[in-house]
Amino acid sequence: AQSVSQHNHHVILSEAASLELGCNYSYGGTVNLFWYVQYPGQHLQLLLKYFSGDPLVKGIKGFEAEFIKSKFSFNLRKPSVQWSDTAEYFCAVNRPGTYKYIFGTGTRLKVLA
Amino acid sequence: NAGVTQTPKFRVLKTGQSMTLLCAQDMNHEYMYWYRQDPGMGLRLIHYSVGEGTTAKGEVPDGYNVSRLKKQNFLLGLESAAPSQTSVYFCATNPRGGLNTGELFFGEGSRLTVL
């Protein structure tokens, strides 16, 4: 069965620190990959997505993610975090042409001012 | 343009009571989903619908029923609530075919507590 692993459950950083959140998935075929963010008290919003092409994807608010097919990974990065990046981040996988999305368990990021 | 609206936002139930969560969307999307979010478990799919009049089970359907009588509404029902159903419930939608960019559009969530 498909699964998505997010290794870091809680991350605490100071402002201006660099961020990398890990995401690995277990499916050998073609996949669509997503990162969603959930700010406190809000619904999930799309940060970025990868379907095909350039494996380095840029999203909103300075976030980027790199798809490494050989490692089944789609790690999220940001060079310099801000206090406003405090949120929970979810990685998700979808098989093209299907209606089902598999979400990781999420990573809670706290950025200290 | 409200997007995806869930009602109610909060509800407290006693074990055995029934209730219905309503998801309404004004984006004319074909696909609609109900997820539950629990600490340390991410989002798990309860039921989904690929169009008016159709529903299908997700990964955790037990204890829930759904209906999609109108394209814009997707109802999630709990016939006999149990404490294990204490959770935050999210509705999500996306369009079909060429309009589908893969992005799911989420409602703001409904926090349900079963005592």
Side-chain angles (χ1 to χ4, degrees), chain B residues 13-19 63 78-86 112-115:
Chain B
L13 287 177
K14 294 181 180 178
T15 297
Q17 286 185 315
S18 63
M19 75 157 296
L78 286 72
E79 290 186 347
S80 179
S84 61
Q85 293 177 304
T86 294
L112 175 64
T113 301
V114 184
L115 303 175

Coordinates of all heavy atoms in Angstrom, one line a residue, chain B residues 13-19 63 78-86 112-115:
Chain B
L13 N -20.8 16.1 21.2 CA -21.9 15.1 21.2 C -21.7 14.2 22.4 O -20.6 14.0 22.9 CB -21.8 14.3 20.0 CG -22.2 14.9 18.6 CD1 -22.0 13.8 17.5 CD2 -23.7 15.3 18.7
K14 N -22.8 13.5 22.8 CA -22.7 12.4 23.7 C -22.6 11.1 23.0 O -23.1 11.0 21.8 CB -23.8 12.4 24.7 CG -23.9 13.6 25.6 CD -25.1 13.6 26.5 CE -25.1 14.8 27.4 NZ -26.3 14.8 28.4
T15 N -22.0 10.1 23.5 CA -21.9 8.8 22.9 C -23.3 8.3 22.5 O -24.2 8.4 23.3 CB -21.2 7.8 23.8 OG1 -19.9 8.2 24.1 CG2 -21.2 6.4 23.2
G16 N -23.4 7.9 21.3 CA -24.7 7.3 20.8 C -25.5 8.4 20.0 O -26.5 7.9 19.3
Q17 N -25.2 9.6 20.2 CA -26.0 10.6 19.5 C -25.6 10.6 18.0 O -24.5 10.1 17.6 CB -25.7 12.0 20.0 CG -26.4 12.3 21.4 CD -26.3 13.7 21.8 OE1 -25.2 14.3 21.8 NE2 -27.4 14.3 22.3
S18 N -26.5 11.2 17.2 CA -26.2 11.2 15.7 C -26.0 12.7 15.3 O -26.5 13.6 16.0 CB -27.3 10.6 14.9 OG -28.5 11.3 15.1
M19 N -25.3 12.9 14.2 CA -25.2 14.3 13.7 C -24.7 14.2 12.2 O -24.3 13.1 11.8 CB -24.2 15.1 14.5 CG -22.8 14.8 14.3 SD -21.7 16.2 14.7 CE -22.2 17.4 13.5
G63 N -18.4 3.5 10.7 CA -19.0 4.5 11.6 C -19.6 5.7 11.0 O -20.1 6.6 11.7
L78 N -22.8 10.7 11.2 CA -22.4 9.8 12.3 C -23.7 9.3 12.9 O -24.5 10.1 13.4 CB -21.6 10.5 13.3 CG -20.1 10.8 13.0 CD1 -20.0 12.0 12.1 CD2 -19.4 11.1 14.3
E79 N -24.1 8.1 12.7 CA -25.3 7.5 13.2 C -25.4 7.3 14.7 O -26.4 7.6 15.3 CB -25.7 6.2 12.5 CG -26.0 6.4 11.0 CD -26.5 5.1 10.3 OE1 -26.3 4.1 11.0 OE2 -27.0 5.2 9.2
S80 N -24.2 6.9 15.2 CA -24.1 6.6 16.7 C -22.7 7.0 17.1 O -21.8 6.1 17.0 CB -24.5 5.2 17.0 OG -24.3 4.9 18.3
A81 N -22.5 8.2 17.5 CA -21.2 8.7 17.7 C -20.5 8.0 18.8 O -21.1 7.6 19.9 CB -21.2 10.2 18.1
A82 N -19.2 7.8 18.7 CA -18.3 7.1 19.6 C -17.1 8.0 20.0 O -16.7 8.9 19.1 CB -17.8 5.8 19.1
P83 N -16.6 7.9 21.2 CA -15.4 8.8 21.5 C -14.3 8.7 20.5 O -13.5 9.7 20.4 CB -15.0 8.2 22.9 CG -16.3 7.7 23.5 CD -17.0 7.1 22.3
S84 N -14.1 7.5 19.9 CA -13.0 7.4 18.9 C -13.3 8.3 17.7 O -12.3 8.5 16.8 CB -12.9 5.9 18.4 OG -14.1 5.5 17.8
Q85 N -14.4 8.9 17.6 CA -14.7 9.8 16.4 C -14.5 11.2 16.8 O -14.7 12.1 16.0 CB -16.2 9.6 16.0 CG -16.4 8.2 15.3 CD -17.8 7.9 14.9 OE1 -18.7 8.1 15.7 NE2 -18.0 7.6 13.6
T86 N -14.0 11.5 18.0 CA -13.5 12.8 18.3 C -12.3 13.1 17.4 O -11.3 12.4 17.4 CB -13.0 12.8 19.8 OG1 -14.2 12.7 20.6 CG2 -12.3 14.2 20.1
L112 N -15.1 18.1 16.2 CA -16.1 17.3 16.9 C -15.6 16.6 18.1 O -14.5 15.9 18.0 CB -16.7 16.2 15.9 CG -17.7 15.3 16.4 CD1 -18.9 16.0 16.9 CD2 -18.0 14.2 15.4
T113 N -16.3 16.8 19.2 CA -15.9 16.1 20.5 C -17.0 15.2 20.9 O -18.2 15.6 20.9 CB -15.6 17.1 21.6 OG1 -14.5 17.9 21.2 CG2 -15.2 16.3 22.8
V114 N -16.7 13.9 21.1 CA -17.7 12.9 21.6 C -17.4 12.5 23.0 O -16.3 11.9 23.2 CB -17.8 11.7 20.6 CG1 -18.9 10.8 21.1 CG2 -18.0 12.1 19.2
L115 N -18.3 12.8 23.9 CA -18.0 12.5 25.3 C -18.6 11.1 25.7 O -19.5 10.6 25.1 CB -18.7 13.6 26.2 CG -18.2 15.0 25.9 CD1 -19.1 16.0 26.7 CD2 -16.8 15.2 26.1

